[in-house]
Amino acid sequence: MKDNIVKIMKRHDILEMVYLAKDGNITKRRVKVIKANHDTFQAYCFTKQAKRTFYFDNILAAVPVIRKEREDVI
C-alpha cells in the first residue's frame, strides 16, 4: 500500500481512500498526499479541508482519482 501511495504522491494525483480512524470510525476521504514517512503520511484532506496525518496501516482501500472526476471536485 505504501508504495502505491508514494507513486500517487510523485504523480501529484489525488487519492480516494477508505480509512479507519483511531476512534474506530470508517470514513471515505479524498486527499492529496504531501509527504510520506515510515509509518505515516501527511496529506491535504478535502473532506476536512485541512492538512492531516494518516497511518498506512489504517487504510482499508485506496485508489487514485481519475482526472475527469478530479476536475469536478476541485
Side-chain angles (χ1 to χ4, degrees):
M1 183 69 68
K2 181 179 178 180
D3 292 337
N4 290 338
I5 291 173
V6 171
K7 286 178 190 176
I8 289 168
M9 177 184 71
K10 288 180 180 178
R11 289 193 314 246
H12 304 283
D13 283 343
I14 292 174
L15 175 71
E16 187 165 271
M17 66 180 181
V18 177
Y19 189 76
L20 176 63
K22 284 188 238 180
D23 63 4
N25 286 331
I26 296 175
T27 60
K28 185 175 175 182
R29 307 277 185 107
R30 277 196 183 196
V31 301
K32 182 161 178 86
V33 181
I34 299 167
K35 98 177 169 181
N37 298 315
H38 180 61
D39 294 332
T40 64
F41 65 96
Q42 290 183 350
Y44 179 80
C45 177
F46 293 99
T47 304
K48 298 289 185 179
Q49 297 183 357
K51 189 166 83 169
R52 296 283 197 246
T53 299
F54 298 96
Y55 289 90
F56 288 110
D57 289 344
N58 290 4
I59 299 172
L60 303 176
V63 294
V65 175
I66 298 169
R67 291 196 187 271
K68 180 163 178 21
E69 289 180 14
R70 183 173 150 183
E71 291 168 5
D72 293 340
V73 172
I74 297 177

